[in-house]
PDB file of all heavy atoms in Angstrom:
ATOM      1  N   ARG A 463       5.731  11.795  -4.351  1.00  0.00           N
ATOM      2  CA  ARG A 463       6.162  12.261  -3.038  1.00  0.00           C
ATOM      3  C   ARG A 463       7.322  11.406  -2.545  1.00  0.00           C
ATOM      4  O   ARG A 463       7.332  10.191  -2.753  1.00  0.00           O
ATOM      5  CB  ARG A 463       5.006  12.172  -2.040  1.00  0.00           C
ATOM      6  CG  ARG A 463       3.853  13.103  -2.345  1.00  0.00           C
ATOM      7  CD  ARG A 463       2.684  12.832  -1.430  1.00  0.00           C
ATOM      8  NE  ARG A 463       3.056  12.996  -0.031  1.00  0.00           N
ATOM      9  CZ  ARG A 463       2.254  12.671   0.991  1.00  0.00           C
ATOM     10  NH1 ARG A 463       1.066  12.141   0.763  1.00  0.00           N
ATOM     11  NH2 ARG A 463       2.652  12.866   2.223  1.00  0.00           N
ATOM     12  N   PRO A 464       8.295  11.982  -1.883  1.00  0.00           N
ATOM     13  CA  PRO A 464       9.414  11.183  -1.383  1.00  0.00           C
ATOM     14  C   PRO A 464       8.955  10.256  -0.260  1.00  0.00           C
ATOM     15  O   PRO A 464       8.210  10.661   0.638  1.00  0.00           O
ATOM     16  CB  PRO A 464      10.402  12.231  -0.865  1.00  0.00           C
ATOM     17  CG  PRO A 464       9.552  13.416  -0.531  1.00  0.00           C
ATOM     18  CD  PRO A 464       8.427  13.413  -1.532  1.00  0.00           C
ATOM     19  N   GLY A 465       9.361   8.998  -0.335  1.00  0.00           N
ATOM     20  CA  GLY A 465       9.010   8.050   0.710  1.00  0.00           C
ATOM     21  C   GLY A 465       9.863   8.231   1.950  1.00  0.00           C
ATOM     22  O   GLY A 465      10.900   8.894   1.932  1.00  0.00           O
ATOM     23  N   GLY A 466       9.425   7.623   3.040  1.00  0.00           N
ATOM     24  CA  GLY A 466      10.162   7.747   4.291  1.00  0.00           C
ATOM     25  C   GLY A 466      11.571   7.195   4.203  1.00  0.00           C
ATOM     26  O   GLY A 466      12.492   7.720   4.825  1.00  0.00           O
ATOM     27  N   ARG A 467      11.761   6.126   3.411  1.00  0.00           N
ATOM     28  CA  ARG A 467      13.108   5.546   3.298  1.00  0.00           C
ATOM     29  C   ARG A 467      14.067   6.522   2.647  1.00  0.00           C
ATOM     30  O   ARG A 467      15.201   6.683   3.094  1.00  0.00           O
ATOM     31  CB  ARG A 467      13.012   4.236   2.497  1.00  0.00           C
ATOM     32  CG  ARG A 467      14.287   3.405   2.512  1.00  0.00           C
ATOM     33  CD  ARG A 467      14.043   2.011   1.966  1.00  0.00           C
ATOM     34  NE  ARG A 467      13.180   1.256   2.850  1.00  0.00           N
ATOM     35  CZ  ARG A 467      11.964   0.817   2.528  1.00  0.00           C
ATOM     36  NH1 ARG A 467      11.461   1.066   1.339  1.00  0.00           N
ATOM     37  NH2 ARG A 467      11.241   0.133   3.388  1.00  0.00           N
ATOM     38  N   LEU A 468      13.616   7.175   1.582  1.00  0.00           N
ATOM     39  CA  LEU A 468      14.465   8.156   0.908  1.00  0.00           C
ATOM     40  C   LEU A 468      14.754   9.342   1.826  1.00  0.00           C
ATOM     41  O   LEU A 468      15.895   9.804   1.933  1.00  0.00           O
ATOM     42  CB  LEU A 468      13.789   8.625  -0.379  1.00  0.00           C
ATOM     43  CG  LEU A 468      14.535   9.666  -1.219  1.00  0.00           C
ATOM     44  CD1 LEU A 468      15.862   9.100  -1.705  1.00  0.00           C
ATOM     45  CD2 LEU A 468      13.674  10.120  -2.394  1.00  0.00           C
ATOM     46  N   LEU A 469      13.728   9.840   2.500  1.00  0.00           N
ATOM     47  CA  LEU A 469      13.902  10.989   3.388  1.00  0.00           C
ATOM     48  C   LEU A 469      14.868  10.679   4.521  1.00  0.00           C
ATOM     49  O   LEU A 469      15.749  11.484   4.844  1.00  0.00           O
ATOM     50  CB  LEU A 469      12.543  11.404   3.959  1.00  0.00           C
ATOM     51  CG  LEU A 469      11.561  12.070   2.994  1.00  0.00           C
ATOM     52  CD1 LEU A 469      10.160  12.090   3.598  1.00  0.00           C
ATOM     53  CD2 LEU A 469      12.017  13.485   2.666  1.00  0.00           C
ATOM     54  N   PHE A 470      14.720   9.509   5.131  1.00  0.00           N
ATOM     55  CA  PHE A 470      15.537   9.199   6.305  1.00  0.00           C
ATOM     56  C   PHE A 470      16.987   8.909   5.929  1.00  0.00           C
ATOM     57  O   PHE A 470      17.907   9.510   6.491  1.00  0.00           O
ATOM     58  CB  PHE A 470      14.954   8.002   7.063  1.00  0.00           C
ATOM     59  CG  PHE A 470      15.773   7.625   8.252  1.00  0.00           C
ATOM     60  CD1 PHE A 470      15.653   8.319   9.442  1.00  0.00           C
ATOM     61  CD2 PHE A 470      16.701   6.586   8.191  1.00  0.00           C
ATOM     62  CE1 PHE A 470      16.436   7.996  10.548  1.00  0.00           C
ATOM     63  CE2 PHE A 470      17.480   6.249   9.287  1.00  0.00           C
ATOM     64  CZ  PHE A 470      17.346   6.960  10.468  1.00  0.00           C
ATOM     65  N   TYR A 471      17.199   8.016   4.987  1.00  0.00           N
ATOM     66  CA  TYR A 471      18.576   7.606   4.691  1.00  0.00           C
ATOM     67  C   TYR A 471      19.353   8.686   3.947  1.00  0.00           C
ATOM     68  O   TYR A 471      20.584   8.752   4.041  1.00  0.00           O
ATOM     69  CB  TYR A 471      18.585   6.299   3.911  1.00  0.00           C
ATOM     70  CG  TYR A 471      18.236   5.109   4.777  1.00  0.00           C
ATOM     71  CD1 TYR A 471      16.983   4.513   4.694  1.00  0.00           C
ATOM     72  CD2 TYR A 471      19.143   4.607   5.695  1.00  0.00           C
ATOM     73  CE1 TYR A 471      16.650   3.442   5.500  1.00  0.00           C
ATOM     74  CE2 TYR A 471      18.823   3.539   6.509  1.00  0.00           C
ATOM     75  CZ  TYR A 471      17.571   2.954   6.407  1.00  0.00           C
ATOM     76  OH  TYR A 471      17.245   1.889   7.220  1.00  0.00           O
ATOM     77  N   ALA A 472      18.665   9.540   3.190  1.00  0.00           N
ATOM     78  CA  ALA A 472      19.344  10.646   2.523  1.00  0.00           C
ATOM     79  C   ALA A 472      19.495  11.850   3.451  1.00  0.00           C
ATOM     80  O   ALA A 472      20.159  12.824   3.084  1.00  0.00           O
ATOM     81  CB  ALA A 472      18.579  11.048   1.263  1.00  0.00           C
ATOM     82  N   ARG A 473      18.854  11.769   4.633  1.00  0.00           N
ATOM     83  CA  ARG A 473      18.868  12.890   5.576  1.00  0.00           C
ATOM     84  C   ARG A 473      18.393  14.175   4.895  1.00  0.00           C
ATOM     85  O   ARG A 473      18.972  15.251   5.058  1.00  0.00           O
ATOM     86  CB  ARG A 473      20.265  13.087   6.169  1.00  0.00           C
ATOM     87  CG  ARG A 473      20.736  11.935   7.046  1.00  0.00           C
ATOM     88  CD  ARG A 473      19.851  11.811   8.276  1.00  0.00           C
ATOM     89  NE  ARG A 473      20.393  10.906   9.277  1.00  0.00           N
ATOM     90  CZ  ARG A 473      20.070   9.623   9.411  1.00  0.00           C
ATOM     91  NH1 ARG A 473      19.195   9.081   8.563  1.00  0.00           N
ATOM     92  NH2 ARG A 473      20.569   8.869  10.375  1.00  0.00           N
ATOM     93  N   LEU A 474      17.332  14.040   4.113  1.00  0.00           N
ATOM     94  CA  LEU A 474      16.783  15.185   3.397  1.00  0.00           C
ATOM     95  C   LEU A 474      16.029  16.094   4.360  1.00  0.00           C
ATOM     96  O   LEU A 474      15.480  15.626   5.363  1.00  0.00           O
ATOM     97  CB  LEU A 474      15.839  14.719   2.291  1.00  0.00           C
ATOM     98  CG  LEU A 474      16.464  13.904   1.156  1.00  0.00           C
ATOM     99  CD1 LEU A 474      15.390  13.427   0.193  1.00  0.00           C
ATOM    100  CD2 LEU A 474      17.508  14.732   0.412  1.00  0.00           C
ATOM    101  N   PRO A 475      15.954  17.373   4.061  1.00  0.00           N
ATOM    102  CA  PRO A 475      15.115  18.258   4.880  1.00  0.00           C
ATOM    103  C   PRO A 475      13.659  17.832   4.745  1.00  0.00           C
ATOM    104  O   PRO A 475      13.230  17.414   3.664  1.00  0.00           O
ATOM    105  CB  PRO A 475      15.359  19.639   4.268  1.00  0.00           C
ATOM    106  CG  PRO A 475      15.837  19.370   2.879  1.00  0.00           C
ATOM    107  CD  PRO A 475      16.605  18.087   2.934  1.00  0.00           C
ATOM    108  N   PRO A 476      12.864  17.910   5.810  1.00  0.00           N
ATOM    109  CA  PRO A 476      11.477  17.436   5.744  1.00  0.00           C
ATOM    110  C   PRO A 476      10.547  18.411   5.018  1.00  0.00           C
ATOM    111  O   PRO A 476       9.389  18.568   5.397  1.00  0.00           O
ATOM    112  CB  PRO A 476      11.103  17.315   7.220  1.00  0.00           C
ATOM    113  CG  PRO A 476      11.955  18.293   7.920  1.00  0.00           C
ATOM    114  CD  PRO A 476      13.244  18.365   7.159  1.00  0.00           C
ATOM    115  N   THR A 477      11.063  19.049   3.988  1.00  0.00           N
ATOM    116  CA  THR A 477      10.251  19.987   3.192  1.00  0.00           C
ATOM    117  C   THR A 477      10.596  19.820   1.719  1.00  0.00           C
ATOM    118  O   THR A 477      10.754  20.799   0.997  1.00  0.00           O
ATOM    119  CB  THR A 477      10.511  21.438   3.634  1.00  0.00           C
ATOM    120  OG1 THR A 477      11.933  21.685   3.616  1.00  0.00           O
ATOM    121  CG2 THR A 477       9.976  21.694   5.033  1.00  0.00           C
ATOM    122  N   VAL A 478      10.746  18.587   1.273  1.00  0.00           N
ATOM    123  CA  VAL A 478      11.098  18.336  -0.125  1.00  0.00           C
ATOM    124  C   VAL A 478       9.916  18.716  -1.013  1.00  0.00           C
ATOM    125  O   VAL A 478       8.781  18.280  -0.793  1.00  0.00           O
ATOM    126  CB  VAL A 478      11.481  16.860  -0.337  1.00  0.00           C
ATOM    127  CG1 VAL A 478      11.717  16.561  -1.812  1.00  0.00           C
ATOM    128  CG2 VAL A 478      12.722  16.520   0.478  1.00  0.00           C
ATOM    129  N   THR A 479      10.189  19.530  -2.027  1.00  0.00           N
ATOM    130  CA  THR A 479       9.143  19.974  -2.948  1.00  0.00           C
ATOM    131  C   THR A 479       8.772  18.839  -3.904  1.00  0.00           C
ATOM    132  O   THR A 479       9.631  18.107  -4.375  1.00  0.00           O
ATOM    133  CB  THR A 479       9.635  21.177  -3.761  1.00  0.00           C
ATOM    134  OG1 THR A 479      10.040  22.213  -2.858  1.00  0.00           O
ATOM    135  CG2 THR A 479       8.549  21.696  -4.695  1.00  0.00           C
TER     136      THR A 479
END
Side-chain angles (χ1 to χ4, degrees):
R463 294 173 59 188
R467 190 168 293 116
L468 180 62
L469 289 165
F470 179 81
Y471 286 105
R473 294 296 191 264
L474 296 176
T477 52
V478 174
T479 303

